[in-house]
């Protein structure tokens, strides 16, 4: 996470890097959910292409996650150390709860609708970009 955070501080800006990261992740999730919904063969170059798109999704999320805490802390310029600490703790807690909920729900859904978790993540990523 060091390089994206440094790139945001020195050259690009946090907001722009977070927007690029979410857009890349959103496009990757759209392609993966379309590929999964169309039941492409699970061998050969389809798997390689799918993993490349999932790698792009992870790169996009790294660009987003490496700057989101600093971006949120910038919204509290006059905040005390207790307020900043509380913000960081609640942010990390909600992120962990959200990931846990997503993993549990996707394990139930993936058996009948394997494309649904990717499509749902793409929809929420789009909402995040639009906000």
């Amino acid at each position: 996470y060091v390089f994206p955070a440094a790139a945001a501080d020195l050259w690009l800006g946090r907001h722009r890097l977070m927007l690029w990261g979410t857009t890349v992740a959103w496009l990757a999730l759209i392609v993966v959910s379309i590929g999964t919904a169309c039941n492409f063969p699970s061998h050969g170059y389809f798997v390689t292409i799918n993993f490349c798109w999932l790698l792009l999704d992870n790169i996009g999320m790294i660009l987003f996650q490496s700057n989101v805490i600093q971006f949120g802390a910038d919204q509290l310029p006059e905040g005390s150390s207790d307020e900043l600490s509380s913000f960081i703790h609640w942010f990390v807690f909600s992120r962990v709860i959200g990931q846990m909920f997503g993993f549990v729900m996707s394990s139930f859904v993936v058996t009948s609708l394997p494309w649904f978790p990717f499509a749902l993540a793409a929809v929420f990523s789009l909402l995040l970009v639009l906000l």
Side-chain angles (χ1 to χ4, degrees), residues 40-124:
F40 286 136
S42 59
H43 56 79
Y45 62 91
F46 287 112
V47 173
T48 305
I49 292 171
N50 206 14
F51 279 123
C52 288
W53 282 104
L54 287 174
L55 178 66
L56 277 176
D57 173 49
N58 285 329
I59 289 171
M61 292 300 8
I62 286 171
L63 292 175
F64 178 79
Q65 290 176 1
S66 64
N67 292 296
V68 71
I69 290 181
Q70 295 89 345
F71 190 76
D74 286 346
Q75 308 304 313
L76 302 169
E78 302 296 324
S80 66
S81 62
D82 288 339
E83 290 175 335
L84 291 173
S85 177
S86 176
F87 166 74
I88 291 171
H89 286 121
W90 278 107
F91 177 79
V92 171
F93 175 74
S94 63
R95 198 169 109 194
V96 168
I97 293 298
Q99 287 176 344
M100 184 179 69
F101 180 74
F103 288 142
V104 169
M105 293 308 292
S106 67
S107 66
F108 288 125
V109 172
V110 81
T111 55
S112 59
L113 299 170
W115 55 271
F116 185 73
F118 298 115
L120 189 62
V123 167
F124 283 121

Side-chain angles (χ1 to χ4, degrees), residues 10-57:
L10 298 176
W11 302 296
L12 300 172
R14 288 188 186 123
H15 184 264
R16 185 176 299 147
L17 200 62
M18 289 169 56
L19 185 64
W20 286 353
T22 352
T23 305
V24 166
W26 177 70
L27 290 173
L29 287 171
I30 288 291
V31 171
V32 168
S33 51
I34 289 171
T36 309
C38 293
N39 289 330
F40 286 136
S42 59
H43 56 79
Y45 62 91
F46 287 112
V47 173
T48 305
I49 292 171
N50 206 14
F51 279 123
C52 288
W53 282 104
L54 287 174
L55 178 66
L56 277 176
D57 173 49

